[in-house]
Amino acid sequence: MKNLTLGRVLVVLALVALLIGTGVWAVEVWNASGNVDMGKHGWIALGLGTFFSLVIGCGLMALMFFSSRSGHDEAADPLRHRDNPPGGGV
């Protein structure tokens, strides 16, 4: 809490305002389209879209996990595990 500056407070307040605005907009759109019937093809498209989004998301997370565990990320971030910090600190 000691690093809480005015700039950070303003950024957090702006993000909270965006979140609330997005939620209000989503509820309005949901309620406006409440009387629309979705046919069989719409449900199939919704199911396939959800399934493939989950497959892609899980696949990318698995690739990120295995990349991190295998050491491939070390070359991309050479300062990550430095034994001697700059400035000769202890």
Side-chain angles (χ1 to χ4, degrees):
M1 295 294 287
K2 61 183 176 182
N3 291 333
L4 198 60
T5 63
L6 179 63
R8 289 183 183 188
V9 170
L10 291 176
V11 168
V12 168
L13 289 176
L15 290 174
V16 168
L18 282 172
L19 179 65
I20 291 171
T22 303
V24 169
W25 173 80
V27 168
E28 291 294 323
V29 170
W30 185 276
N31 289 333
S33 63
N35 296 330
V36 176
D37 292 329
M38 189 161 51
K40 179 173 59 171
H41 292 98
W43 285 108
I44 291 171
L46 180 65
L48 288 174
T50 303
F51 174 73
F52 284 116
S53 294
L54 286 172
V55 167
I56 289 171
C58 291
L60 289 173
M61 287 300 292
L63 286 174
M64 194 169 62
F65 174 76
F66 288 122
S67 174
S68 175
R69 300 275 293 179
S70 65
H72 286 90
D73 296 337
E74 298 301 321
D77 192 5
L79 300 177
R80 187 177 205 175
H81 297 291
R82 178 175 277 193
D83 293 331
N84 298 325
V90 176

